[in-house]
Amino acid sequence: MARHLITSAIPYINGIKHLGNLVGSQLPADLYARYLRGRGHEVLFLCATDEHGTPAELAAAKAGKPVAEYCAEMHEVQARIAKGFGLSFDHFGRSSSPQNRALTQAFAARLADQGLIDEVEQQQIYSPTDGRFLPDRYVEGTCPNCGFEDARGDQCDNCTKQLDPEDLIDPRSTISGATDLEMRATKHLMLRQSAMKDKLDAWIDSKTDWPVLTTSIAKKWLHDGDGLQDRGITRDLSWGVPVKRGDADWPGMEGKVFYVWFDAPIEYIACAQEWVDAGKGQDWERWWRTDKGADDVRYTQFMGKDNVPFHTLSFPSTIMGSAQPWKLVDYIKSFNFLTYDGGQFSTSRGRGVFMDQALEVLPADTWRWWLLSHAPETSDAEFTWENFQTAVNKDLADVLGNFISRITKFCRAKFGEAVPEAGAYGPAEEALIADLTARVARYETLMDAMEVRKSAAELRAIWAAGNEYLQAQAPWTTFKTDPDKAAAQVRLALNLIPLYAVLSAPFMPATAASMVEALHLEMPHWPDDVPTALSSMAPGHVFAVPEVLFAKISDEDRDAWAERFAGRRD
RNA sequence: GGCGUUAUAGCUCAGUUGGUUAGAGCGAACGACUCAUAAUCGUUAGGUCCCUGGUUCAAGUCCAGGUAACGCCA
């Protein structure tokens, strides 16, 4: 038994995430966590909401609510949806927690003590009307290059020329529309990432088993142009972790907060503290401090490719720079993007399926299966309703669902709703057991390696093996001449169901639970060996024919959903 | 503009360190079965592995250039 710390990239508080976000981090992390728990390992699986920054402030303002209240509500919404998808976080924390505030301030103090923080003075656009400094993209005006009237402070969308906000003619705040903008001097803290470049480089080089996607992105940031740049860790906002040097004030930094990218990953650690403080566990340092028991922990992070630079460079800079024995990540599993019908998911245009809508339309396990079996591991993957329909109908309804249906109903018709006890296994049964033994071993190897799609394919083959066996042995024919032999065949086939349940549980926890429930069984332990696992339903055991596990998706439903989610979200 | 990823059967994708007839699922055709959610099982047909050039006894696999798609950055 090993100890596994697993974190999923933490979703931003603003709004409900789409299926692409889900499949890029939380869902595969959950798959892995459930699998490892099933194998008997000790797992701490953490996720949280990322709550600070300007977008949260603006969304709160739009909703007419104080930002703290808005975040608290949205956190509950996201927590509820996560639960709906069966995401088995040991704790779902908040980056705005007191624990994270204290820890972020402590890290900043420590980094400053190590000489890794510079204080720099910058000129930034200030809006007296809004009472705040404006980030570049919240300033708009006329492009000095092409005359386009709605150019953003960082770039003109019309002529694509890169701009500085002070270049704009007649600049205005996109928050209030105010035009009385002015340049003001402001002081900020920079994390000297450049000083840690060589150390990071060597560390990345040592990770030869990481996905190419992960290391290539990290290398690019390390070596591109002038190499890894220092990065501001503070902002002139009110919503965030106040800039302090540990418990002490930080002269000149009054009224400023830490930049969201700095405090968000620290929440991975703070979340473990929240987990303890919520009474769900104890001794969080055992998971995070290598001097306090975490040296045997294997830490795996899951994220989409857009988050890779933060997890390979920025957060490790914070950890390494502290020169304290914090646990560094051991493996980063990164994902490409899921595209929707040839294009991007779009929150603003309501294009694609969002997590809340997905649950309105179909059970979570249906989504879990499709998303995981099509996870964008090696390249971007595409969601189309047609592909979704055929995969769900074929894999879940026909191969798995129908297998359970056909064998339980056949048994009921010929032997009643109890496991028949006559007959003995022969060569065909031994062959099936041998085949399954090999397949289960392969499945475990793939799951250990976090090969998500291949694991799904192997699991499907395991389901299909049941149909192949029934087809070849044809107990309905055997029954006419040798009822005892048919009884043995049915007994074995019935016993496949609990095996399928436990193997499928990481992918489809709710379905797996209902499978064993119908059989009047407890969820079995992960199989040590297949022959033992296939005797969990003893002769005479009474069961009930389950309800239809998966309804098929009709062409009408498919077309209606395609229409509904094509764009323009209300 | 710079960079990254991708380009393999009609579709979605596998193809370890270059090594015999390039694989799977779906779809298609044909057949078997009739227990089952008109489900299942089997067989077969489909590929100039984006293009050009190079390295090698040998290239889908390595190198160079090009094309295209997607994305990131400034």
Side-chain angles (χ1 to χ4, degrees):
Chain A
M1 179 167 126
R3 299 173 59 216
H4 288 268
L5 174 61
I6 300 170
T7 60
S8 158
I10 65 178
Y12 198 68
I13 191 69
N14 178 11
I16 291 164
K17 303 301 123 181
H18 57 65
L19 296 181
N21 299 129
L22 178 64
V23 75
S25 53
Q26 293 178 322
L27 192 51
D30 183 68
L31 176 77
Y32 191 52
R34 285 180 179 275
Y35 167 72
L36 291 175
R37 289 193 200 106
R39 296 299 305 271
H41 299 303
E42 189 179 356
V43 170
L44 183 62
F45 176 28
L46 301 175
C47 191
T49 40
D50 174 11
E51 305 194 357
H52 293 135
T54 308
E57 284 187 315
L58 296 182
K62 194 175 171 189
K65 288 176 180 162
V67 63
E69 187 182 324
Y70 171 82
C71 286
E73 284 178 15
M74 287 307 296
H75 175 81
E76 288 313 310
V77 168
Q78 292 210 22
R80 194 172 65 240
I81 295 172
K83 202 172 175 188
F85 268 96
L87 301 176
S88 60
F89 309 132
D90 288 298
H91 188 70
F92 188 55
R94 305 181 58 187
S95 70
S96 63
S97 67
Q99 292 89 341
N100 194 39
R101 187 187 317 139
L103 194 58
T104 298
Q105 291 165 343
F107 265 110
R110 179 72 189 180
L111 290 165
D113 293 345
Q114 298 289 312
L116 291 169
I117 302 260
D118 280 343
E119 297 186 16
V120 299
E121 186 143 301
Q122 299 172 329
Q123 294 287 320
Q124 257 183 28
I125 295 222
Y126 185 82
S127 168
T129 304
D130 295 304
R132 58 186 293 170
F133 286 92
L134 297 177
D136 291 355
R137 61 191 167 126
Y138 290 106
V139 184
E140 284 185 357
T142 303
C143 174
N145 187 47
C146 71
F148 181 61
E149 290 183 1
D150 294 320
R152 289 198 322 253
D154 51 348
Q155 182 181 40
C156 173
D157 284 334
N158 188 48
C159 68
T160 73
K161 184 177 170 60
Q162 39 189 300
L163 303 168
D164 283 323
E166 57 266 35
D167 297 337
L168 293 171
I169 300 161
D170 300 328
R172 61 181 185 277
S173 160
T174 59
I175 298 168
S176 63
T179 55
D180 55 337
L181 308 182
E182 59 190 57
M183 297 302 290
R184 279 196 191 177
T186 181
K187 202 157 92 174
H188 281 295
L189 303 181
M190 307 281 289
L191 177 61
R192 295 180 57 214
Q193 295 188 139
S194 58
M196 277 171 286
K197 177 172 173 284
D198 292 344
K199 210 169 171 182
L200 289 165
D201 210 7
W203 179 64
I204 296 291
D205 275 336
S206 73
K207 302 300 183 185
T208 52
D209 61 330
W210 284 12
V212 182
L213 182 66
T214 305
T215 49
S216 68
I217 292 174
K219 288 301 223 179
K220 183 199 146 199
W221 282 61
L222 278 165
H223 299 298
D224 233 33
D226 299 329
L228 188 63
Q229 299 297 299
D230 295 344
R231 198 164 173 138
I233 61 167
T234 54
R235 302 240 85 186
D236 289 291
L237 297 178
S238 52
W239 177 237
V241 175
V243 177
K244 294 183 82 172
R245 190 163 179 158
D247 297 329
D249 288 338
W250 203 312
M253 299 306 294
E254 296 79 8
K256 297 176 194 291
V257 300
F258 286 108
Y259 205 159
V260 59
W261 76 259
F262 184 68
D263 75 70
I266 295 172
E267 168 63 13
Y268 288 141
I269 305 175
C271 190
Q273 300 180 28
E274 292 174 48
W275 167 71
V276 171
D277 294 344
K280 298 175 183 171
Q282 45 193 326
D283 195 5
W284 65 271
E285 290 184 315
R286 181 169 162 266
W287 292 95
W288 272 108
R289 294 284 296 215
T290 55
D291 59 336
K292 296 182 180 171
D295 46 333
D296 67 334
V297 168
R298 180 167 168 83
Y299 177 23
T300 307
Q301 294 176 339
F302 289 80
M303 71 201 64
K305 60 183 170 186
D306 52 327
N307 266 317
V308 168
F310 296 104
H311 292 77
T312 52
L313 304 169
S314 304
F315 187 43
S317 291
T318 301
I319 298 283
M320 289 177 179
S322 75
Q324 291 170 325
W326 296 104
K327 178 76 194 160
L328 262 175
V329 65
D330 293 302
Y331 192 85
I332 294 181
K333 175 75 176 176
S334 57
F335 290 84
N336 288 281
F337 293 144
L338 184 69
T339 60
Y340 183 81
D341 207 14
Q344 287 179 300
F345 279 82
S346 168
T347 307
S348 56
R349 283 181 296 140
R351 188 165 192 285
V353 184
F354 290 73
M355 286 173 73
D356 54 340
Q357 301 168 324
L359 291 176
E360 289 168 17
V361 167
L362 285 168
D365 281 355
T366 305
W367 293 106
R368 288 176 65 107
W369 172 254
W370 189 88
L371 289 169
L372 289 168
S373 60
H374 294 77
E377 288 178 294
T378 51
S379 65
D380 289 354
E382 182 175 23
F383 176 92
T384 65
W385 283 100
E386 203 162 334
N387 183 312
F388 177 70
Q389 179 197 26
T390 54
V392 166
N393 288 355
K394 199 72 194 172
D395 298 348
L396 299 184
D398 294 347
V399 175
L400 176 61
N402 182 55
F403 170 77
I404 292 166
S405 190
R406 71 193 291 202
I407 188 58
T408 51
K409 287 181 180 172
F410 179 73
C411 182
R412 179 173 63 186
K414 304 299 183 190
F415 302 102
E417 286 182 293
V419 179
E421 53 190 320
Y425 293 169
E429 288 67 38
E430 298 305 325
L432 174 64
I433 289 169
D435 181 43
L436 286 173
T437 299
R439 287 191 180 283
V440 169
R442 231 172 358 245
Y443 178 60
E444 290 170 346
T445 302
L446 291 168
M447 289 291 274
D448 283 333
M450 288 168 262
E451 292 275 6
V452 178
R453 297 176 84 129
K454 290 179 183 173
S455 298
E458 191 59 53
L459 180 59
R460 186 191 189 281
I462 289 171
W463 298 337
N467 284 315
E468 289 165 24
Y469 170 77
L470 282 185
Q471 208 63 35
Q473 298 313 308
W476 46 91
T477 304
T478 314
F479 184 78
K480 294 171 188 165
T481 56
D482 189 349
D484 284 0
K485 189 173 179 187
Q489 290 166 345
V490 168
R491 186 165 68 248
L492 180 60
L494 283 172
N495 265 289
L496 290 175
I497 299 173
L499 175 66
Y500 288 178
V502 66
L503 295 177
S504 307
F507 282 88
M508 303 183 295
T511 303
S514 66
M515 281 164 68
V516 294
E517 192 182 339
L519 298 181
H520 302 154
L521 291 171
E522 296 293 312
M523 182 64 76
H525 292 297
W526 195 270
D528 291 325
D529 66 282
V530 171
T532 307
L534 290 179
S535 57
S536 60
M537 282 176 83
H541 179 89
V542 174
F543 65 89
V545 171
E547 299 294 311
V548 166
L549 275 185
F550 298 98
K552 291 206 189 193
I553 297 171
S554 67
D555 292 354
E556 290 72 31
D557 285 341
R558 179 198 66 194
D559 294 342
W561 293 331
E563 167 74 23
R564 174 178 168 193
F565 298 110
R568 217 166 282 293
R569 178 178 160 87
D570 49 12

